[in-house]
Tab-separated table of all heavy atoms in Angstrom:
chain	number	residue	atom	x	y	z
A	1	MET	N	-10.338	3.131	6.561
A	1	MET	CA	-9.288	3.969	6.733
A	1	MET	C	-9.490	5.227	5.877
A	1	MET	O	-9.853	5.121	4.791
A	1	MET	CB	-8.019	3.243	6.285
A	1	MET	CG	-6.732	4.066	6.461
A	1	MET	SD	-5.305	3.144	6.096
A	1	MET	CE	-5.429	1.898	7.380
A	2	GLU	N	-9.316	6.302	6.496
A	2	GLU	CA	-9.599	7.586	5.820
A	2	GLU	C	-8.403	8.262	5.251
A	2	GLU	O	-8.528	9.315	4.409
A	2	GLU	CB	-10.187	8.601	6.770
A	2	GLU	CG	-11.709	8.067	7.345
A	2	GLU	CD	-12.355	9.079	8.193
A	2	GLU	OE1	-11.824	10.213	8.186
A	2	GLU	OE2	-13.232	8.637	8.852
A	3	HIS	N	-7.206	7.764	5.479
A	3	HIS	CA	-6.004	8.266	4.879
A	3	HIS	C	-5.068	7.204	4.531
A	3	HIS	O	-5.151	6.075	5.022
A	3	HIS	CB	-5.328	9.235	5.829
A	3	HIS	CG	-4.788	8.537	7.035
A	3	HIS	ND1	-5.436	8.149	8.105
A	3	HIS	CD2	-3.463	8.140	7.291
A	3	HIS	CE1	-4.724	7.587	9.033
A	3	HIS	NE2	-3.468	7.613	8.547
A	4	GLN	N	-4.190	7.390	3.613
A	4	GLN	CA	-3.160	6.415	3.225
A	4	GLN	C	-2.073	6.448	4.288
A	4	GLN	O	-1.603	7.442	4.767
A	4	GLN	CB	-2.639	6.797	1.920
A	4	GLN	CG	-3.606	6.658	0.856
A	4	GLN	CD	-3.035	6.875	-0.581
A	4	GLN	OE1	-2.046	7.546	-0.819
A	4	GLN	NE2	-3.644	6.186	-1.644
A	5	LEU	N	-1.595	5.167	4.485
A	5	LEU	CA	-0.517	5.126	5.421
A	5	LEU	C	0.825	5.431	4.748
A	5	LEU	O	0.962	5.410	3.572
A	5	LEU	CB	-0.293	3.616	5.923
A	5	LEU	CG	-1.557	2.967	6.554
A	5	LEU	CD1	-1.465	1.486	6.851
A	5	LEU	CD2	-1.924	3.712	7.924
A	6	THR	N	1.725	5.865	5.554
A	6	THR	CA	3.075	6.353	5.074
A	6	THR	C	4.158	5.198	5.021
A	6	THR	O	5.021	5.240	4.332
A	6	THR	CB	3.598	7.586	5.820
A	6	THR	OG1	3.947	7.105	7.140
A	6	THR	CG2	2.629	8.605	5.849
A	7	GLY	N	3.830	4.276	5.924
A	7	GLY	CA	4.806	3.129	6.177
A	7	GLY	C	5.607	3.283	7.430
A	7	GLY	O	6.216	2.388	7.871
A	8	ASN	N	5.523	4.613	7.924
A	8	ASN	CA	6.253	4.770	9.230
A	8	ASN	C	5.510	4.471	10.458
A	8	ASN	O	6.007	4.455	11.585
A	8	ASN	CB	6.561	6.298	9.366
A	8	ASN	CG	7.590	6.708	8.319
A	8	ASN	OD1	8.471	5.947	7.852
A	8	ASN	ND2	7.419	7.898	7.749
A	9	GLU	N	4.268	3.981	10.301
A	9	GLU	CA	3.425	3.633	11.410
A	9	GLU	C	3.923	2.329	12.038
A	9	GLU	O	4.298	1.438	11.336
A	9	GLU	CB	2.017	3.392	10.982
A	9	GLU	CG	1.296	4.618	10.454
A	9	GLU	CD	1.608	4.951	8.959
A	9	GLU	OE1	2.303	4.084	8.288
A	9	GLU	OE2	1.168	5.955	8.483
A	10	GLU	N	4.110	2.390	13.351
A	10	GLU	CA	4.602	1.246	14.041
A	10	GLU	C	3.602	0.337	14.616
A	10	GLU	O	2.530	0.745	15.204
A	10	GLU	CB	5.574	1.695	15.181
A	10	GLU	CG	6.330	0.594	15.861
A	10	GLU	CD	7.455	1.080	16.874
A	10	GLU	OE1	7.406	2.260	17.203
A	10	GLU	OE2	8.201	0.194	17.268
A	11	PHE	N	3.773	-0.971	14.487
A	11	PHE	CA	2.917	-1.984	15.083
A	11	PHE	C	3.083	-1.830	16.590
A	11	PHE	O	4.205	-1.623	17.092
A	11	PHE	CB	3.186	-3.404	14.610
A	11	PHE	CG	2.729	-3.592	13.239
A	11	PHE	CD1	3.521	-3.521	12.111
A	11	PHE	CD2	1.367	-4.064	13.011
A	11	PHE	CE1	3.162	-3.645	10.802
A	11	PHE	CE2	0.868	-4.252	11.672
A	11	PHE	CZ	1.687	-4.061	10.694
A	12	THR	N	2.111	-2.188	17.323
A	12	THR	CA	2.140	-2.170	18.746
A	12	THR	C	1.665	-3.522	19.335
A	12	THR	O	0.875	-4.187	18.763
A	12	THR	CB	1.349	-0.966	19.456
A	12	THR	OG1	-0.050	-1.233	19.154
A	12	THR	CG2	1.857	0.327	18.973
A	13	LEU	N	2.197	-3.814	20.514
A	13	LEU	CA	1.704	-5.016	21.291
A	13	LEU	C	1.584	-4.644	22.641
A	13	LEU	O	2.559	-4.199	23.305
A	13	LEU	CB	2.817	-6.130	21.125
A	13	LEU	CG	2.453	-7.452	21.745
A	13	LEU	CD1	1.257	-8.080	21.240
A	13	LEU	CD2	3.627	-8.492	21.643
A	14	HIS	N	0.338	-4.809	23.194
A	14	HIS	CA	-0.039	-4.371	24.586
A	14	HIS	C	0.356	-2.919	24.857
A	14	HIS	O	0.898	-2.533	25.880
A	14	HIS	CB	0.576	-5.420	25.549
A	14	HIS	CG	0.363	-6.820	25.321
A	14	HIS	ND1	-0.867	-7.243	25.458
A	14	HIS	CD2	1.177	-7.785	24.967
A	14	HIS	CE1	-0.909	-8.597	25.196
A	14	HIS	NE2	0.390	-8.912	24.885
A	15	GLY	N	0.115	-2.074	23.771
A	15	GLY	CA	0.407	-0.627	24.064
A	15	GLY	C	1.827	-0.164	23.776
A	15	GLY	O	2.090	0.957	23.986
A	16	LYS	N	2.724	-1.090	23.518
A	16	LYS	CA	4.141	-0.779	23.398
A	16	LYS	C	4.585	-1.059	21.993
A	16	LYS	O	4.065	-1.925	21.308
A	16	LYS	CB	5.033	-1.511	24.345
A	16	LYS	CG	4.676	-1.300	25.801
A	16	LYS	CD	5.593	-1.949	26.690
A	16	LYS	CE	5.320	-1.630	28.189
A	16	LYS	NZ	6.161	-2.324	29.147
A	17	GLY	N	5.594	-0.264	21.453
A	17	GLY	CA	6.068	-0.406	20.056
A	17	GLY	C	6.701	-1.819	19.971
A	17	GLY	O	7.395	-2.214	20.799
A	18	ALA	N	6.334	-2.458	18.824
A	18	ALA	CA	6.839	-3.840	18.608
A	18	ALA	C	8.193	-3.842	17.791
A	18	ALA	O	8.723	-4.909	17.592
A	18	ALA	CB	5.801	-4.584	17.816
A	19	GLY	N	8.646	-2.665	17.413
A	19	GLY	CA	9.951	-2.671	16.770
A	19	GLY	C	9.829	-2.896	15.283
A	19	GLY	O	10.778	-3.087	14.553
A	20	ILE	N	8.600	-2.978	14.759
A	20	ILE	CA	8.409	-3.259	13.302
A	20	ILE	C	7.334	-2.189	12.783
A	20	ILE	O	6.435	-1.817	13.522
A	20	ILE	CB	7.961	-4.663	12.928
A	20	ILE	CG1	6.746	-5.018	13.749
A	20	ILE	CG2	9.110	-5.536	13.187
A	20	ILE	CD1	6.224	-6.392	13.432
A	21	THR	N	7.466	-1.808	11.496
A	21	THR	CA	6.594	-0.837	10.953
A	21	THR	C	5.718	-1.386	9.891
A	21	THR	O	5.985	-2.507	9.337
A	21	THR	CB	7.402	0.380	10.330
A	21	THR	OG1	8.195	-0.141	9.269
A	21	THR	CG2	8.309	1.028	11.439
A	22	VAL	N	4.846	-0.583	9.432
A	22	VAL	CA	3.940	-0.941	8.264
A	22	VAL	C	4.919	-1.113	6.969
A	22	VAL	O	4.731	-2.096	6.163
A	22	VAL	CB	2.886	0.066	7.947
A	22	VAL	CG1	2.200	-0.226	6.683
A	22	VAL	CG2	1.974	0.113	9.106
A	23	LEU	N	5.946	-0.326	6.860
A	23	LEU	CA	6.832	-0.442	5.772
A	23	LEU	C	7.563	-1.751	5.764
A	23	LEU	O	7.807	-2.404	4.775
A	23	LEU	CB	7.767	0.675	5.734
A	23	LEU	CG	8.811	0.680	4.628
A	23	LEU	CD1	8.099	0.758	3.207
A	23	LEU	CD2	9.798	1.908	4.732
A	24	ASP	N	7.954	-2.166	6.946
A	24	ASP	CA	8.548	-3.522	7.107
A	24	ASP	C	7.664	-4.659	6.591
A	24	ASP	O	8.115	-5.504	5.816
A	24	ASP	CB	8.917	-3.841	8.630
A	24	ASP	CG	9.977	-2.941	9.211
A	24	ASP	OD1	10.845	-2.491	8.479
A	24	ASP	OD2	9.901	-2.669	10.403
A	25	PHE	N	6.345	-4.516	6.927
A	25	PHE	CA	5.441	-5.492	6.450
A	25	PHE	C	5.259	-5.483	4.932
A	25	PHE	O	5.347	-6.440	4.295
A	25	PHE	CB	4.059	-5.289	7.061
A	25	PHE	CG	2.969	-6.017	6.386
A	25	PHE	CD1	2.867	-7.429	6.420
A	25	PHE	CD2	1.952	-5.331	5.654
A	25	PHE	CE1	1.822	-8.080	5.831
A	25	PHE	CE2	0.890	-6.017	4.962
A	25	PHE	CZ	0.910	-7.383	5.096
A	26	TRP	N	5.167	-4.245	4.425
A	26	TRP	CA	5.114	-4.097	2.912
A	26	TRP	C	6.275	-4.761	2.227
A	26	TRP	O	5.979	-5.383	1.190
A	26	TRP	CB	4.911	-2.627	2.483
A	26	TRP	CG	3.584	-1.946	2.950
A	26	TRP	CD1	2.432	-2.588	3.186
A	26	TRP	CD2	3.359	-0.625	2.978
A	26	TRP	NE1	1.491	-1.729	3.493
A	26	TRP	CE2	1.987	-0.503	3.434
A	26	TRP	CE3	4.152	0.468	2.919
A	26	TRP	CZ2	1.337	0.754	3.624
A	26	TRP	CZ3	3.541	1.729	3.110
A	26	TRP	CH2	2.123	1.910	3.474
A	27	ARG	N	7.493	-4.440	2.687
A	27	ARG	CA	8.595	-4.964	2.096
A	27	ARG	C	8.595	-6.583	2.145
A	27	ARG	O	8.961	-7.242	1.184
A	27	ARG	CB	9.856	-4.539	2.892
A	27	ARG	CG	10.269	-3.005	2.524
A	27	ARG	CD	11.478	-2.598	3.221
A	27	ARG	NE	11.872	-1.263	2.906
A	27	ARG	CZ	12.359	-0.397	3.682
A	27	ARG	NH1	12.803	-0.722	4.926
A	27	ARG	NH2	12.723	0.872	3.302
A	28	TRP	N	8.197	-7.071	3.339
A	28	TRP	CA	8.175	-8.504	3.440
A	28	TRP	C	7.049	-9.184	2.500
A	28	TRP	O	7.337	-10.158	1.865
A	28	TRP	CB	7.907	-8.860	4.905
A	28	TRP	CG	7.801	-10.250	5.207
A	28	TRP	CD1	8.817	-11.156	5.380
A	28	TRP	CD2	6.560	-11.107	5.353
A	28	TRP	NE1	8.371	-12.462	5.662
A	28	TRP	CE2	7.031	-12.446	5.605
A	28	TRP	CE3	5.233	-10.801	5.277
A	28	TRP	CZ2	6.084	-13.408	5.732
A	28	TRP	CZ3	4.416	-11.796	5.353
A	28	TRP	CH2	4.717	-13.119	5.663
A	29	ALA	N	5.906	-8.574	2.444
A	29	ALA	CA	4.768	-9.145	1.856
A	29	ALA	C	4.628	-8.780	0.369
A	29	ALA	O	4.169	-9.664	-0.447
A	29	ALA	CB	3.462	-8.788	2.583
A	30	PHE	N	5.083	-7.690	-0.034
A	30	PHE	CA	4.781	-7.226	-1.417
A	30	PHE	C	5.973	-6.784	-2.309
A	30	PHE	O	5.769	-6.146	-3.282
A	30	PHE	CB	3.765	-6.112	-1.361
A	30	PHE	CG	2.452	-6.444	-0.542
A	30	PHE	CD1	2.272	-5.882	0.647
A	30	PHE	CD2	1.573	-7.366	-1.066
A	30	PHE	CE1	1.027	-6.184	1.407
A	30	PHE	CE2	0.484	-7.677	-0.413
A	30	PHE	CZ	0.170	-7.162	0.843
A	31	SER	N	7.125	-7.200	-1.927
A	31	SER	CA	8.282	-6.667	-2.725
A	31	SER	C	8.651	-7.618	-3.879
A	31	SER	O	9.518	-7.301	-4.754
A	31	SER	CB	9.504	-6.584	-1.786
A	31	SER	OG	9.920	-7.800	-1.283
A	32	ASP	N	8.004	-8.707	-3.974
A	32	ASP	CA	8.237	-9.652	-5.174
A	32	ASP	C	7.314	-9.297	-6.283
A	32	ASP	O	6.179	-9.679	-6.495
A	32	ASP	CB	7.902	-11.071	-4.748
A	32	ASP	CG	8.153	-12.065	-5.836
A	32	ASP	OD1	8.720	-11.690	-6.857
A	32	ASP	OD2	7.839	-13.325	-5.641
A	33	LEU	N	7.900	-8.375	-7.165
A	33	LEU	CA	7.114	-7.935	-8.270
A	33	LEU	C	7.032	-8.993	-9.402
A	33	LEU	O	6.300	-8.635	-10.488
A	33	LEU	CB	7.648	-6.546	-8.861
A	33	LEU	CG	7.607	-5.360	-7.849
A	33	LEU	CD1	8.238	-4.140	-8.392
A	33	LEU	CD2	6.243	-5.229	-7.362
A	34	ILE	N	7.623	-10.013	-9.354
A	34	ILE	CA	7.600	-11.067	-10.347
A	34	ILE	C	6.300	-11.915	-10.114
A	34	ILE	O	5.770	-12.482	-11.136
A	34	ILE	CB	8.815	-12.001	-10.269
A	34	ILE	CG1	10.068	-11.221	-10.430
A	34	ILE	CG2	8.770	-13.202	-11.236
A	34	ILE	CD1	10.199	-10.511	-11.811
A	35	ASP	N	5.811	-11.960	-8.942
A	35	ASP	CA	4.525	-12.605	-8.680
A	35	ASP	C	3.472	-12.066	-9.444
A	35	ASP	O	3.278	-10.933	-9.589
A	35	ASP	CB	4.319	-12.498	-7.144
A	35	ASP	CG	3.014	-13.169	-6.694
A	35	ASP	OD1	1.904	-12.652	-6.955
A	35	ASP	OD2	3.062	-14.234	-6.179
A	36	ASN	N	2.621	-12.929	-10.118
A	36	ASN	CA	1.537	-12.428	-10.898
A	36	ASN	C	0.555	-11.500	-10.275
A	36	ASN	O	0.076	-10.595	-10.844
A	36	ASN	CB	0.713	-13.719	-11.425
A	36	ASN	CG	1.427	-14.407	-12.581
A	36	ASN	OD1	2.173	-13.789	-13.314
A	36	ASN	ND2	1.167	-15.681	-12.843
A	37	THR	N	0.169	-11.753	-9.034
A	37	THR	CA	-0.747	-10.927	-8.194
A	37	THR	C	-0.131	-9.562	-8.160
A	37	THR	O	-0.781	-8.508	-8.432
A	37	THR	CB	-1.000	-11.442	-6.908
A	37	THR	OG1	-1.598	-12.724	-7.018
A	37	THR	CG2	-1.987	-10.648	-6.175
A	38	GLN	N	1.129	-9.445	-7.736
A	38	GLN	CA	1.743	-8.130	-7.511
A	38	GLN	C	1.986	-7.377	-8.847
A	38	GLN	O	1.895	-6.120	-8.857
A	38	GLN	CB	3.100	-8.282	-6.789
A	38	GLN	CG	3.046	-8.812	-5.406
A	38	GLN	CD	1.880	-8.251	-4.569
A	38	GLN	OE1	1.695	-7.118	-4.578
A	38	GLN	NE2	1.063	-9.087	-3.962
A	39	ARG	N	2.297	-8.091	-9.936
A	39	ARG	CA	2.423	-7.444	-11.211
A	39	ARG	C	1.150	-6.796	-11.612
A	39	ARG	O	1.151	-5.658	-12.194
A	39	ARG	CB	2.862	-8.422	-12.283
A	39	ARG	CG	4.331	-8.717	-12.325
A	39	ARG	CD	4.685	-9.483	-13.516
A	39	ARG	NE	4.250	-10.879	-13.268
A	39	ARG	CZ	4.360	-11.826	-14.193
A	39	ARG	NH1	4.836	-11.622	-15.355
A	39	ARG	NH2	3.922	-13.058	-13.866
A	40	GLY	N	-0.039	-7.353	-11.353
A	40	GLY	CA	-1.306	-6.716	-11.770
A	40	GLY	C	-1.449	-5.377	-10.975
A	40	GLY	O	-1.934	-4.452	-11.524
A	41	VAL	N	-1.201	-5.471	-9.641
A	41	VAL	CA	-1.375	-4.257	-8.753
A	41	VAL	C	-0.301	-3.172	-9.206
A	41	VAL	O	-0.660	-2.055	-9.312
A	41	VAL	CB	-1.134	-4.659	-7.254
A	41	VAL	CG1	-1.019	-3.398	-6.438
A	41	VAL	CG2	-2.187	-5.584	-6.805
A	42	MET	N	0.902	-3.622	-9.586
A	42	MET	CA	1.939	-2.687	-10.071
A	42	MET	C	1.481	-2.073	-11.367
A	42	MET	O	1.582	-0.774	-11.546
A	42	MET	CB	3.205	-3.296	-10.187
A	42	MET	CG	4.221	-2.371	-10.713
A	42	MET	SD	5.909	-3.089	-10.917
A	42	MET	CE	5.667	-4.183	-12.301
A	43	ALA	N	0.873	-2.834	-12.291
A	43	ALA	CA	0.427	-2.308	-13.547
A	43	ALA	C	-0.696	-1.282	-13.365
A	43	ALA	O	-0.671	-0.235	-14.028
A	43	ALA	CB	-0.047	-3.431	-14.470
A	44	GLU	N	-1.580	-1.570	-12.457
A	44	GLU	CA	-2.667	-0.651	-12.179
A	44	GLU	C	-2.141	0.660	-11.517
A	44	GLU	O	-2.614	1.764	-11.978
A	44	GLU	CB	-3.674	-1.221	-11.087
A	44	GLU	CG	-4.738	-0.442	-10.737
A	44	GLU	CD	-5.719	-1.046	-9.700
A	44	GLU	OE1	-5.678	-2.284	-9.507
A	44	GLU	OE2	-6.433	-0.250	-8.985
A	45	PHE	N	-1.164	0.606	-10.718
A	45	PHE	CA	-0.589	1.731	-10.071
A	45	PHE	C	0.103	2.660	-11.230
A	45	PHE	O	-0.009	3.820	-11.224
A	45	PHE	CB	0.574	1.313	-9.046
A	45	PHE	CG	1.459	2.402	-8.618
A	45	PHE	CD1	0.980	3.379	-7.678
A	45	PHE	CD2	2.714	2.535	-9.084
A	45	PHE	CE1	1.770	4.395	-7.308
A	45	PHE	CE2	3.543	3.611	-8.638
A	45	PHE	CZ	3.047	4.538	-7.681
A	46	LEU	N	0.895	1.970	-12.148
A	46	LEU	CA	1.563	2.655	-13.116
A	46	LEU	C	0.628	3.322	-14.144
A	46	LEU	O	0.790	4.569	-14.454
A	46	LEU	CB	2.505	1.679	-13.907
A	46	LEU	CG	3.702	1.124	-13.157
A	46	LEU	CD1	4.419	0.146	-13.926
A	46	LEU	CD2	4.631	2.323	-12.641
A	47	VAL	N	-0.436	2.676	-14.519
A	47	VAL	CA	-1.466	3.310	-15.430
A	47	VAL	C	-2.152	4.386	-14.739
A	47	VAL	O	-2.240	5.561	-15.271
A	47	VAL	CB	-2.513	2.251	-15.865
A	47	VAL	CG1	-3.581	2.873	-16.496
A	47	VAL	CG2	-1.775	1.250	-16.762
A	48	TYR	N	-2.639	4.176	-13.473
A	48	TYR	CA	-3.372	5.228	-12.838
A	48	TYR	C	-2.411	6.480	-12.501
A	48	TYR	O	-2.832	7.559	-12.656
A	48	TYR	CB	-3.794	4.768	-11.473
A	48	TYR	CG	-4.895	5.677	-10.870
A	48	TYR	CD1	-6.303	5.525	-11.167
A	48	TYR	CD2	-4.425	6.641	-9.940
A	48	TYR	CE1	-7.135	6.448	-10.575
A	48	TYR	CE2	-5.454	7.489	-9.362
A	48	TYR	CZ	-6.707	7.338	-9.694
A	48	TYR	OH	-7.663	8.231	-9.136
A	49	SER	N	-1.168	6.176	-12.109
A	49	SER	CA	-0.259	7.284	-11.966
A	49	SER	C	0.065	8.101	-13.202
A	49	SER	O	0.226	9.356	-13.094
A	49	SER	CB	1.153	6.766	-11.421
A	49	SER	OG	1.006	6.160	-10.179
A	50	SER	N	0.015	7.469	-14.396
A	50	SER	CA	0.203	8.220	-15.571
A	50	SER	C	-1.063	9.156	-15.941
A	50	SER	O	-0.944	10.086	-16.656
A	50	SER	CB	0.464	7.340	-16.706
A	50	SER	OG	-0.688	6.596	-17.087
A	51	LEU	N	-2.199	8.820	-15.329
A	51	LEU	CA	-3.390	9.525	-15.579
A	51	LEU	C	-3.765	10.664	-14.550
A	51	LEU	O	-4.461	11.560	-14.841
A	51	LEU	CB	-4.643	8.661	-15.654
A	51	LEU	CG	-4.546	7.516	-16.734
A	51	LEU	CD1	-5.686	6.564	-16.620
A	51	LEU	CD2	-4.460	8.239	-18.142
A	52	LYS	N	-3.247	10.485	-13.366
A	52	LYS	CA	-3.576	11.378	-12.201
A	52	LYS	C	-2.343	11.921	-11.675
A	52	LYS	O	-1.330	11.269	-11.511
A	52	LYS	CB	-4.248	10.617	-11.122
A	52	LYS	CG	-5.556	10.095	-11.487
A	52	LYS	CD	-6.643	11.153	-11.466
A	52	LYS	CE	-7.999	10.638	-11.459
A	52	LYS	NZ	-9.053	11.688	-11.379
A	53	PRO	N	-2.303	13.247	-11.325
A	53	PRO	CA	-1.052	13.839	-10.750
A	53	PRO	C	-0.889	13.488	-9.273
A	53	PRO	O	0.167	13.520	-8.719
A	53	PRO	CB	-1.380	15.327	-10.882
A	53	PRO	CG	-2.758	15.522	-10.968
A	53	PRO	CD	-3.354	14.226	-11.610
A	54	GLU	N	-1.988	13.117	-8.578
A	54	GLU	CA	-1.938	12.828	-7.238
A	54	GLU	C	-1.636	11.260	-7.039
A	54	GLU	O	-1.845	10.518	-7.897
A	54	GLU	CB	-3.212	13.110	-6.389
A	54	GLU	CG	-3.543	14.585	-6.475
A	54	GLU	CD	-4.894	14.925	-5.852
A	54	GLU	OE1	-5.255	14.102	-4.969
A	54	GLU	OE2	-5.430	15.964	-6.085
A	55	TYR	N	-1.039	10.944	-5.909
A	55	TYR	CA	-0.825	9.584	-5.605
A	55	TYR	C	-1.998	8.848	-5.583
A	55	TYR	O	-3.078	9.211	-5.004
A	55	TYR	CB	-0.150	9.426	-4.140
A	55	TYR	CG	0.365	8.019	-3.858
A	55	TYR	CD1	1.607	7.557	-4.415
A	55	TYR	CD2	-0.400	7.161	-3.110
A	55	TYR	CE1	2.011	6.308	-4.180
A	55	TYR	CE2	0.056	5.921	-2.872
A	55	TYR	CZ	1.270	5.536	-3.364
A	55	TYR	OH	1.664	4.222	-3.167
A	56	PRO	N	-2.177	7.759	-6.391
A	56	PRO	CA	-3.419	7.083	-6.553
A	56	PRO	C	-3.838	6.133	-5.403
A	56	PRO	O	-2.989	5.465	-4.833
A	56	PRO	CB	-3.235	6.186	-7.828
A	56	PRO	CG	-1.734	5.930	-7.774
A	56	PRO	CD	-1.142	7.189	-7.187
A	57	PRO	N	-5.091	6.170	-5.110
A	57	PRO	CA	-5.502	5.070	-4.086
A	57	PRO	C	-5.582	3.693	-4.746
A	57	PRO	O	-5.728	3.645	-6.022
A	57	PRO	CB	-6.987	5.556	-3.846
A	57	PRO	CG	-7.427	6.235	-5.101
A	57	PRO	CD	-6.118	6.847	-5.637
A	58	HIS	N	-5.366	2.726	-3.891
A	58	HIS	CA	-5.458	1.267	-4.418
A	58	HIS	C	-6.900	0.986	-4.619
A	58	HIS	O	-7.816	1.622	-4.121
A	58	HIS	CB	-4.740	0.453	-3.375
A	58	HIS	CG	-4.659	-0.974	-3.889
A	58	HIS	ND1	-5.610	-1.930	-3.518
A	58	HIS	CD2	-3.708	-1.718	-4.589
A	58	HIS	CE1	-5.330	-3.086	-4.040
A	58	HIS	NE2	-4.201	-2.975	-4.705
A	59	ALA	N	-7.079	-0.100	-5.259
A	59	ALA	CA	-8.450	-0.610	-5.532
A	59	ALA	C	-9.377	-0.696	-4.248
A	59	ALA	O	-10.547	-0.382	-4.201
A	59	ALA	CB	-8.445	-1.988	-6.294
A	60	ASN	N	-8.741	-1.060	-3.139
A	60	ASN	CA	-9.496	-1.287	-1.885
A	60	ASN	C	-9.851	0.172	-1.306
A	60	ASN	O	-10.757	0.189	-0.535
A	60	ASN	CB	-8.713	-1.994	-0.818
A	60	ASN	CG	-8.538	-3.412	-1.305
A	60	ASN	OD1	-9.344	-3.925	-2.117
A	60	ASN	ND2	-7.461	-4.070	-0.847
A	61	ALA	N	-9.160	1.237	-1.725
A	61	ALA	CA	-9.418	2.535	-1.181
A	61	ALA	C	-10.416	3.405	-2.097
A	61	ALA	O	-10.820	4.372	-1.654
A	61	ALA	CB	-8.089	3.286	-1.060
A	62	ARG	N	-10.771	2.716	-3.253
A	62	ARG	CA	-11.641	3.519	-4.162
A	62	ARG	C	-12.982	3.860	-3.477
A	62	ARG	O	-13.532	4.944	-3.802
A	62	ARG	CB	-11.735	2.848	-5.413
A	62	ARG	CG	-10.508	2.750	-6.213
A	62	ARG	CD	-10.804	2.244	-7.611
A	62	ARG	NE	-9.520	2.176	-8.233
A	62	ARG	CZ	-9.184	1.129	-9.013
A	62	ARG	NH1	-9.918	0.086	-9.066
A	62	ARG	NH2	-7.952	1.149	-9.511
A	63	LYS	N	-13.495	3.019	-2.593
A	63	LYS	CA	-14.749	3.318	-2.192
A	63	LYS	C	-14.687	4.555	-1.187
A	63	LYS	O	-15.672	5.199	-0.879
A	63	LYS	CB	-15.306	2.133	-1.322
A	63	LYS	CG	-14.400	1.711	-0.175
A	63	LYS	CD	-14.982	0.426	0.491
A	63	LYS	CE	-13.986	-0.177	1.396
A	63	LYS	NZ	-13.463	-1.408	0.987
A	64	LEU	N	-13.527	4.845	-0.698
A	64	LEU	CA	-13.288	6.137	0.220
A	64	LEU	C	-12.929	7.205	-0.608
A	64	LEU	O	-13.133	8.506	-0.249
A	64	LEU	CB	-12.184	5.743	1.177
A	64	LEU	CG	-12.513	4.636	2.147
A	64	LEU	CD1	-11.248	4.440	3.019
A	64	LEU	CD2	-13.656	5.003	3.078
A	65	ALA	N	-12.190	7.013	-1.719
A	65	ALA	CA	-11.710	8.106	-2.500
A	65	ALA	C	-11.986	7.882	-3.986
A	65	ALA	O	-11.107	7.503	-4.842
A	65	ALA	CB	-10.167	8.327	-2.351
A	66	PRO	N	-13.200	8.064	-4.449
A	66	PRO	CA	-13.574	7.654	-5.820
A	66	PRO	C	-12.960	8.557	-6.810
A	66	PRO	O	-12.727	9.703	-6.539
A	66	PRO	CB	-15.095	7.792	-5.849
A	66	PRO	CG	-15.391	8.735	-4.758
A	66	PRO	CD	-14.357	8.527	-3.694
A	67	PHE	N	-12.642	8.022	-8.049
A	67	PHE	CA	-12.092	8.802	-8.996
A	67	PHE	C	-13.064	8.864	-10.182
A	67	PHE	O	-13.122	9.252	-11.147
A	67	PHE	CB	-10.651	8.341	-9.448
A	67	PHE	CG	-10.665	7.026	-9.980
A	67	PHE	CD1	-10.732	6.651	-11.356
A	67	PHE	CD2	-10.518	5.864	-9.070
A	67	PHE	CE1	-10.826	5.337	-11.736
A	67	PHE	CE2	-10.500	4.623	-9.518
A	67	PHE	CZ	-10.584	4.318	-10.842
């Protein structure tokens, strides 16, 4: 992926909108910040954000946008 998703992208099924967005998925899958895995990702985001003025890429995106 060459760009970061906004969350407004809609899932499709057989070429038609499925009525759910990437943001819906993110809310469902990653909104529990108490979970140990999510806390680590959140900590990385907070530290990186304090060091860089631009929105930081996640670890999986670093190969596309090295810092």
Side-chain angles (χ1 to χ4, degrees):
M1 180 174 299
E2 295 182 16
H3 68 281
Q4 291 184 333
L5 299 176
T6 66
N8 295 324
E9 298 81 5
E10 188 172 10
F11 286 95
T12 60
L13 180 62
H14 305 297
K16 296 182 180 179
I20 54 175
T21 65
V22 171
L23 183 58
D24 293 329
F25 167 69
W26 289 339
R27 286 180 178 151
W28 178 82
F30 303 111
S31 63
D32 182 6
L33 297 179
I34 302 301
D35 181 280
N36 281 335
T37 303
Q38 299 312 316
R39 276 189 285 174
V41 173
M42 181 180 66
E44 181 181 341
F45 169 77
L46 294 172
V47 169
Y48 194 90
S49 293
S50 71
L51 300 174
K52 295 281 194 178
E54 297 177 22
Y55 190 79
H58 185 267
N60 293 335
R62 287 190 186 134
K63 60 185 170 244
L64 298 174
F67 59 94

